[in-house]
Structures are given as C-alpha cells and as structure tokens.
Amino acid sequence: MFLLLALLIGIIAGLRAMTAPAAVAWGAALGWIDVSQTPLAFMGYRWTPWILTVLAVVELITDQLPSTPSRKVPVQFAARIITGALAGATIGAASSLLFGGLIAGVIGAVVGTYGGAALRSRIAAAFGKDLPAALIEDAVAVVGAVLIAGAVS
C-alpha cells in the first residue's frame, strides 16, 4: 500500500512539483507519516511544511503565467523527478521502504508529468483556453496530495 501511495504522490509531483513534498511534509509534521527515525526526519520539522507550502503556492501562481516553460523541458522535468522522489521516499520511509518509495515516486513523477501535460492540453482544447484546465489541474493536485498524505497514517 505504501508503494502505491508513493507512486500516486509522484504523479502529483508530475502535476505540481512542490505540492507533493508540501503535502507529505504536513503529513510528517502532523504525525500522519512517521519519519522521525529516518534520514527524512527533516520533513517533519517545524518549518519544513511552511517553507514547502510557500513554494507550492508560488508554483500555483506562476503556473498561470504564459511565460512559464513547459513541464517537459529539462529543468522543469528534473524538478518534478526530484520532488517526486523526495515525496515518494518520505511515504516509503514510514514503512521502512525508503528506496522503494523513492523509485515509485520517480516513476509516478514521469507518469504525472507526461500524462498531466497531455490531459491538460485536451482540457484546454475543450475549453478553448488554458486557464480552466490549469485551475482544474491545480485542484486535482492539491486535493489528491492531501488525500494521499492522509491515507498514509
């Protein structure tokens, strides 16, 4: 179950890079995800969820800008893989599957990056503009991340 949740949080990272680590950091800080005795204990530290939440909100805002590059360019893609790995590893670490969670998070991030881009372009085409598709994707990422982090406990 933990590896499935790690894969799913990786998919969220593919949609919104900072939303996934922010959600698992809140899960760790609130005691839903116990990583206190792991190398990822910092995810539950006092300021970690706040810092990651600020970064997630900035990402949600900048994603709406027309100058924002595609999530599939190397820098954006790498960021999603890294944050998917971190979020997946955090979930995996809660059940002593840190490396498995990391791999599942990376796989999820790749799926979420490409699948999210394809789905968003289809939704944008249906609406005739990108903003509604972007807002739907934002909602899916935030709600999904919270549900996944809550399911770990």
Side-chain angles (χ1 to χ4, degrees), residues 2-3 10 22-23 31 37 41 46 48 54 81 101 110 113 115 130 133:
F2 283 94
L3 293 179
Q37 303 301 312
R46 179 183 212 173
T48 305
V54 167
I81 289 174
V110 172
T113 299
D130 187 60

Side-chain angles (χ1 to χ4, degrees), residues 42-115:
F42 71 92
M43 290 296 280
Y45 289 178
R46 179 183 212 173
W47 294 103
T48 305
W50 292 102
I51 292 166
L52 292 173
T53 299
V54 167
L55 293 172
V57 169
V58 168
E59 180 185 24
L60 291 172
I61 293 167
T62 58
D63 182 63
Q64 310 308 319
L65 303 174
S67 60
T68 302
S70 166
R71 70 184 81 196
K72 297 184 281 184
V73 300
V75 171
Q76 298 282 343
F77 189 64
R80 283 165 165 71
I81 289 174
I82 291 166
T83 59
L86 174 62
T90 302
I91 289 176
S95 65
S96 301
L97 296 169
L98 188 145
F99 187 70
L102 183 144
I103 297 300
V106 168
I107 293 167
V110 172
V111 169
T113 299
Y114 286 109

Side-chain angles (χ1 to χ4, degrees), residues 3-31:
L3 293 179
L4 174 62
L5 293 172
L7 176 76
L8 293 174
I9 203 69
I11 291 171
I12 299 297
L15 300 178
R16 293 290 175 273
M18 297 310 299
T19 300
V24 296
W26 278 109
L30 294 172

